[in-house]
Amino acid sequence: MTPSDVPAESPAADAAESPAAGSAPTSRRALFTVGAAAALTLGTVSFARAAPGGGAGAAPGDGPLSRTVSGTLPPGAPDFVHLPFEVPRGIGELRVSYRYERPPVPPGTPGNALDIGVFDERGTALGGRGFRGWSGGARTEFFLRGDAATPGYLPGPVRPGTWHVALAPYTVAPGGLPYSVTITLVPGPTAPTPRPVYPPQRAAGRGRAWYRGDCHLHSVHSDGRRTPAEIAALARAAGLDFITTTEHNTPSSHRHWDGLWGDDLLVLTGEEVTTRNGHVLALGTAPGTHVDWRYRARDNRFGHFAREIRRAGGLVVPAHPHATCLGCAWQFGFAEADAVEVWNGPWTPDDEVSLQAWDRTLGRGGRWVPAMGNSDAHRDPDRVGLPQTVVLADGLSRGAVLEGIRAGRSYVAESADLSVDLRVTGARGRSAGLGERLSVAAGEAVTVRLAVTGAGADWTTHLVTDQGTVCGGGPGGLSWTTSGSYAGYVRAEVRRPVPVGVPGVGLPGAVAAFTNPVFVGVGR
C-alpha cells in the first residue's frame, strides 16, 4: 500500500490526543496527510500557553507539560509516520515514551514492531540537520536535554519550534498496530552541552604491519547490551588492534569512548545505515557524522548517501548481504560499494552464500570489491572479533586502515590465533600479495604459496580461482604451480571439517579464514 492508498479519515489511520495528569483537557482527531519520503504526518500536538509579554512559552516554575497521542496504524502503513509537536520557549528537557499492542498472530505471520526516534525544529527532510536520535525498537522511552541524552540520542538544547516524533512500523499485524505516544516537556533553563571528545585518528601501531579489527559492533547506543567500556575490554582480549562503532542509524556513541582508546587500540567511528532494503556500514566516517537511512532501493537515493559517506572520509560496506532477516538482504547493488561484509558473526549458511556470490564477481575483470568480515556483536554470548579482518596497513591510523581495506590487502579470520600468508610469484622473481596484481608473460610459470599458522590438525586449506577450487592441502598450507593463462586470480580458504552426522553430500566445512584474491594476468 502506498501513502496515497491510506484514506485521510479512515478509522484505522486515526489518532486521538489526550492530556496526561495535570494537563489542560483537549481532544481531537489527528489526521494523516501525505508527506515526503514515503512518510505520513499526523496532526500537530500543541503545548502552547501564553507567555509574559506575548507569544507562547513556559515559565521556570511551571510543571511538566504532557500530551498523549494514541491511534492505530493499518497494515500497509508507510515506512515512517511523523507526529509533530510544538515546543514553546523555556523548555529545558524533552521526554518521550511509547507503547504498542503485540497481539498473537498465526505462525509465519509478522507481528507488530514499531521503532521510534525524534527530529528537532530543523525538520525531517531527508539528509537534513534535524536528526536528534533514534532507538529503533530497543527502548520504550527516552529523554534529551542540553547536557545529556538517552543512549541513541544527541544532547543539546530543546529549542522552540515544531519537533517530530518519528514512528517506523517495521511490521504490522493483520489487525493493525494500536499505539500511544506520550510527549512531556519540562520547563527550565538550557544546560550547556559539553564539547564532545572523539577518538583520535591514530594509535601507536607497529609501522607497516598486519592489524586486526572488528568493524561492526553494537552497544547500548542502539540495540546492543554492552557499554563502550565493555566492548573495548573485549576487543583487547580478542587481540584486536582496531574497532569501529556502528550503531543503527545514530552517531550518538561517537562521543562515549573517552579513555577507552590507547596506543594498543584504535577506535573508528561509523554507523550501520539500516534501511528497509538492506544494511550498509558507513565505516570510518568523521566523528559525529550521521547518515540518513529513510529510503528504499526504488527511491534511487542510495547513491547520494554513499557519496556522503565517502565525503565524510568513510567506506561504503554493505553488511550481511544475504541475511534472511526481514529487511536485511542487500538490494541496492554493489556499484557504490568500497568493500562488502562477506562474513558476519559465527559462520552460517548465509555466509557461505555470500562467499560464493562474492567469488563469482572476481573473474569478471575491471573493478572488484574487496571482502571483509565482522562480528556484528550485540550482547553475550556474541564474540567480539569473530570474525575479524586482518589488514596490511602502513600504520595504525584511520587513513591507513581504511586504505588497506579499500585496496583488499586483507584476509578474514575467526580469531587472532589464526594467521594466513598468500603469495604469488612468477618465474622471473616478481611477486604479488593480497589485493595486488601480478603481470606475467604468456606461458610463464606462476607459483602460489599458502602458509597458515594456528589451524587445527584436522583443518584443510584450499586455493580457489575463477574455475573453482583447484587444490587442497593440510592445515599448514600448500604450494601450487600454474600459469597466468590458467588462473585469472587465486585466493585461499581455511576450513574446519564437516561435523559428523551433518546431512548432505559434498557440503564444505565451516570457513575459519579466507583471503582476498591475488590477480594474475598476461601482459597486464
Side-chain angles (χ1 to χ4, degrees), residues 149-393:
T150 299
Y153 294 81
L154 306 179
V158 184
R159 293 179 291 261
T162 303
W163 289 50
H164 292 79
V165 170
L167 300 174
Y170 194 69
T171 54
V172 179
L177 193 159
Y179 69 92
S180 67
V181 179
T182 298
I183 303 167
T184 300
L185 305 181
V186 182
T190 298
T193 303
R195 184 173 182 175
V197 178
Y198 292 130
Q201 304 294 291
R202 180 181 297 273
R206 305 179 298 278
R208 185 174 176 83
W210 292 93
Y211 295 99
R212 296 176 178 269
D214 189 344
C215 293
H216 189 167
L217 294 162
H218 296 278
S219 75
V220 294
H221 286 267
S222 57
D223 59 344
R225 294 293 180 267
R226 292 167 173 156
T227 65
E230 291 169 327
I231 292 172
L234 290 169
R236 287 183 166 97
L240 301 182
D241 302 295
F242 65 93
I243 58 175
T244 307
T245 173
T246 54
E247 309 296 353
H248 294 285
N249 304 332
T250 179
S252 74
S253 68
H254 294 185
R255 62 180 71 204
H256 290 277
W257 294 86
D258 190 14
L260 301 178
W261 59 77
D263 288 345
D264 63 331
L265 185 65
L266 176 70
V267 178
L268 304 179
T269 53
E271 177 184 331
E272 184 172 12
V273 184
T274 309
T275 81
R276 297 296 181 92
N277 287 160
H279 303 180
V280 62
L281 302 177
L283 197 162
T285 48
T289 299
H290 174 247
V291 182
D292 212 317
W293 75 102
R294 296 171 296 156
Y295 44 86
R296 295 197 186 203
R298 66 192 180 211
D299 299 322
N300 295 318
R301 299 294 185 94
F302 176 66
H304 168 81
F305 290 102
R307 291 187 289 274
E308 287 290 310
I309 292 170
R310 282 192 281 270
R311 275 193 286 269
L315 302 182
V316 178
V317 184
H320 45 65
H322 293 276
T324 57
C325 50
L326 185 66
C328 295
W330 186 247
Q331 298 185 37
F332 293 90
F334 296 93
E336 295 286 354
D338 296 305
V340 58
E341 187 187 72
V342 168
W343 185 355
N344 175 279
W347 189 262
T348 66
D350 295 347
D351 301 303
E352 188 71 51
V353 172
S354 292
L355 178 62
Q356 301 306 324
W358 169 72
D359 180 81
R360 288 192 293 272
T361 70
L362 299 177
R364 298 173 183 173
R367 179 181 178 271
W368 68 286
V369 180
M372 64 183 308
N374 303 298
S375 72
D376 198 2
H378 285 69
R379 60 187 68 83
D380 292 338
D382 299 350
R383 277 179 52 193
V384 172
L386 172 60
Q388 53 197 251
T389 300
V390 190
V391 185
L392 179 60

Side-chain angles (χ1 to χ4, degrees), residues 102-121:
R102 305 182 191 186
V105 294
T109 301
N112 285 333
L114 183 63
D115 294 349
I116 195 169
V118 71
F119 291 79
D120 67 17
E121 84 289 348

Side-chain angles (χ1 to χ4, degrees), residues 35-46:
L40 294 180
T41 302
L42 292 165
T44 302
V45 177
S46 176

